[in-house]
Amino acid sequence: MPSAAVASRTMVEEVTKGGKSPKGKRAEAVEKAKQDAKVVDDTMRKYDTNRSGKLEQSQLALMLKDMNGGFDVTKEELAWVFYKADTCTGRRNYGVDHGEILYAIRIWKGYLENREYLDHMFEKYDTGRTGQLAFAELKVLLTDLTDPDEPPPSDKEVKQVMYEADRKDGEVDGSLKKVELMYAISLWYTMVKHRKSKSFMPLASKMCVVM
């Protein structure tokens, strides 16, 4: 198994591709927009059974279950996806609407793709076996993810990661659930990058984009 630092960086880094002309990129963007619109329409048609224009929690749960191979999702997983999608535009209407459904699909896919890795991280660092990472456990995890030639995370930095990631399911309980860990790891690598360049690190965007 690759080191925690390598595996985590692989999880959060983007793969860039070049070589396409501006015209080709525009055509690709138009086609992608059409495909996305179809996904949204098909999804809402299937799961928005009361035709309210948004998915309620119970309807979203069915969508996530289908994407999960027919296996039920946990309350924590459902609450996380629902809250993240419902607030990604900067406003909350207590439902996942047309402008938020793609975000819900993408973050759930990302979580499923990395769930085995997240399970491994919790098995290793959740030493109290509480199902959540406390401050001290998170600090050890972030320290292990940091390159040896870099200074380890300070208490202030760990507190910032904890604060930002802990809010991602709409609840602040002073510890991190498994669904919040992917964001915490991504945030830490972003903080290290800005720490190296001594540049200002903006807070999380309100746009419906995937971290």
Side-chain angles (χ1 to χ4, degrees):
M1 177 178 293
S3 68
V6 172
S8 297
R9 192 171 289 108
T10 300
M11 181 180 72
V12 298
E13 287 180 343
E14 295 181 348
V15 178
T16 58
K17 298 180 180 180
K20 295 183 179 179
S21 67
K23 184 176 181 181
K25 290 181 179 179
R26 284 195 297 272
E28 186 179 78
V30 170
E31 181 59 29
K32 180 66 166 55
K34 290 180 180 178
Q35 293 174 359
D36 286 349
K38 185 177 186 306
V39 169
V40 171
D41 289 342
D42 290 347
T43 301
M44 296 300 288
R45 189 177 301 112
K46 180 176 181 179
Y47 297 103
D48 180 21
T49 53
N50 58 353
R51 300 296 180 258
S52 66
K54 60 184 180 181
L55 299 188
E56 300 163 2
Q57 273 209 9
S58 59
Q59 295 166 331
L60 180 66
L62 291 176
M63 186 193 84
L64 301 183
K65 179 179 179 179
D66 287 346
M67 292 176 63
N68 193 34
F71 292 99
D72 289 329
V73 299
T74 67
K75 291 181 179 180
E76 289 180 354
E77 290 168 339
L78 175 58
W80 173 69
V81 176
F82 187 80
Y83 181 80
K84 286 268 287 179
D86 186 28
T87 59
C88 73
T89 58
R91 60 179 175 78
R92 189 170 191 188
N93 60 4
Y94 297 91
V96 180
D97 60 31
H98 282 75
E100 301 162 340
I101 193 66
L102 276 180
Y103 183 73
I105 291 172
R106 289 168 181 166
I107 62 172
W108 183 238
K109 282 184 176 178
Y111 173 74
L112 293 178
E113 290 170 357
N114 292 286
R115 188 163 55 184
E116 183 177 349
Y117 171 76
L118 297 173
D119 287 342
H120 166 72
M121 297 296 275
F122 257 74
E123 178 66 26
K124 181 176 181 180
Y125 294 101
D126 179 20
T127 55
R129 297 295 180 261
T130 62
Q132 301 188 42
L133 295 183
F135 177 88
E137 295 167 329
L138 177 62
K139 185 172 184 178
V140 173
L141 183 153
L142 297 182
T143 299
D144 287 351
L145 295 182
T146 307
D147 291 334
D149 57 341
E150 289 291 321
S154 65
D155 284 355
K156 181 179 180 180
E157 289 171 326
V158 177
K159 287 178 182 178
Q160 182 177 355
V161 172
M162 176 73 80
Y163 173 75
E164 293 294 337
D166 187 26
R167 300 182 300 154
K168 292 304 174 181
D169 64 349
E171 297 180 358
V172 178
D173 48 27
S175 58
L176 294 189
K177 306 177 183 70
K178 193 178 299 180
V179 292
E180 298 166 328
L181 181 57
M182 189 161 61
Y183 178 82
I185 292 173
S186 176
L187 177 61
W188 173 238
Y189 279 126
T190 302
M191 290 173 64
V192 170
K193 178 181 178 181
H194 285 271
R195 186 169 67 175
K196 286 181 179 179
S197 62
K198 297 182 180 180
S199 61
F200 172 74
M201 189 190 77
L203 292 178
S205 169
K206 291 290 186 180
M207 299 295 290
C208 290
V209 293
V210 182
M211 291 299 300

